[in-house]
Amino acid sequence: KQEVTQIPAALSVPEGENLVLNCSFTDSAIYNLQWFRQDPGKGLTSLLLIQSSQREQTSGRLNASLDKSSGRSTLYIAASQPGDSATYLCAVRRETSGSRLTFGEGTQLTVNP
Amino acid sequence: DAMVIQNPRYQVTQFGKPVTLSCSQTLNHNVMYWYQQKSSQAPKLLFHYYDKDFNNEADTPDNFQSRRPNTSFCFLDIRSPGLGDAAMYLCATSRGRGSNQPQHFGDGTRLSIL
């Protein structure tokens, strides 16, 4: 059974700091890994998707890496801003689970002005 | 422009009173999903449709049903809501089951049970 863990559960940083969020998964037979952002009381916004054959993906100030063999992914946020405050979730799609995503519980990020 | 639209955003129902949540999409995606997310927890997949093919998760309670009358719409029916069913319900779509495309989510419906 695939398990996804995100550490830390909460993180508070001053504005302008670069930061890294971590995601680990127990079954390395994944099809892809997706990072989402969730604002309070809202749905999920897809940030980055990394296919199993890729090592990283970049979008603006965000960079996600994937080390499939060790079961780890990181989301790097450069020059953080108060508007980045949200919960960040990672989710993996296993090769054998069809479309099903298995989510971590998220890291709640607060960027202080 | 919203591509996955969930109505209503907030729903209050009474214990045991049936409730229906709706989801529509403008993406023309084949696959539609329903997730349940309780406070500070990970979203949990309830079921998904690949076109008209319904796929139920093994641990989804029988109390939860779904309908997909056409490509654009999908409904979640809770036949007899209990207090433990209070949660955010998220609808998502993707282009295809074999496709390496991201899932797109709506803003969710927050369900409260009185």
Side-chain angles (χ1 to χ4, degrees), chain B residues 58-103:
Chain B
D59 54 357
T60 298
D62 292 339
N63 200 22
F64 292 85
Q65 304 284 319
S66 185
R67 296 170 283 135
R68 189 178 185 187
N70 53 52
T71 300
S72 301
F73 286 88
C74 195
F75 300 98
L76 170 62
D77 300 310
I78 308 177
R79 290 192 295 189
S80 181
L83 296 178
D85 297 328
M88 174 77 91
Y89 290 88
L90 298 165
C91 174
T93 72
S94 66
R95 190 181 301 277
R97 199 155 48 188
S99 169
N100 205 13
Q101 296 293 319
Q103 291 189 13

Side-chain angles (χ1 to χ4, degrees), chain A residues 31-32 34 36 38 41-44 46 49 51 89 93 98-101 103-105, chain B residues 9 33 35 37 42-43 45 57 88 90 97-103 105-107 110:
Chain A
Y31 196 41
N32 61 40
Q34 201 168 348
F36 294 90
Q38 186 172 33
K42 294 280 191 106
L44 279 63
S46 179
L49 181 146
Q51 299 181 26
L89 297 107
R93 182 176 162 187
S99 310
R100 189 179 307 116
L101 292 180
F103 283 85
E105 293 192 342
Chain B
R9 291 293 316 280
Y33 311 80
Y35 289 85
Q37 186 182 26
L45 182 66
E57 293 300 297
M88 174 77 91
L90 298 165
R97 199 155 48 188
S99 169
N100 205 13
Q101 296 293 319
Q103 291 189 13
F105 282 77
D107 277 341
R110 182 166 295 283

Side-chain angles (χ1 to χ4, degrees), chain A residues 56-95:
Chain A
E56 65 179 275
Q57 281 285 334
T58 298
S59 175
R61 293 183 293 109
L62 305 179
N63 176 277
S65 69
L66 174 64
D67 184 344
K68 188 178 159 186
S69 60
S70 68
R72 285 195 245 175
S73 176
T74 62
L75 179 66
Y76 174 83
I77 303 177
S80 58
Q81 303 170 358
D84 295 331
S85 298
T87 297
Y88 291 80
L89 297 107
C90 71
V92 298
R93 182 176 162 187
R94 291 169 65 193
E95 291 174 354

Side-chain angles (χ1 to χ4, degrees), chain A residues 6-18:
Chain A
Q6 291 187 248
I7 294 173
L11 181 64
S12 182
V13 300
E15 183 177 3
E17 193 161 295
N18 302 326

Side-chain angles (χ1 to χ4, degrees), chain A residues 2-48:
Chain A
Q2 177 74 275
E3 293 184 4
V4 180
T5 305
Q6 291 187 248
I7 294 173
L11 181 64
S12 182
V13 300
E15 183 177 3
E17 193 161 295
N18 302 326
L19 60 100
V20 174
L21 306 180
N22 297 293
C23 173
S24 61
F25 45 94
T26 54
D27 184 349
S28 62
I30 66 167
Y31 196 41
N32 61 40
L33 183 145
Q34 201 168 348
W35 281 95
F36 294 90
R37 168 188 173 134
Q38 186 172 33
D39 292 290
K42 294 280 191 106
L44 279 63
T45 300
S46 179
L47 298 173
L48 290 163

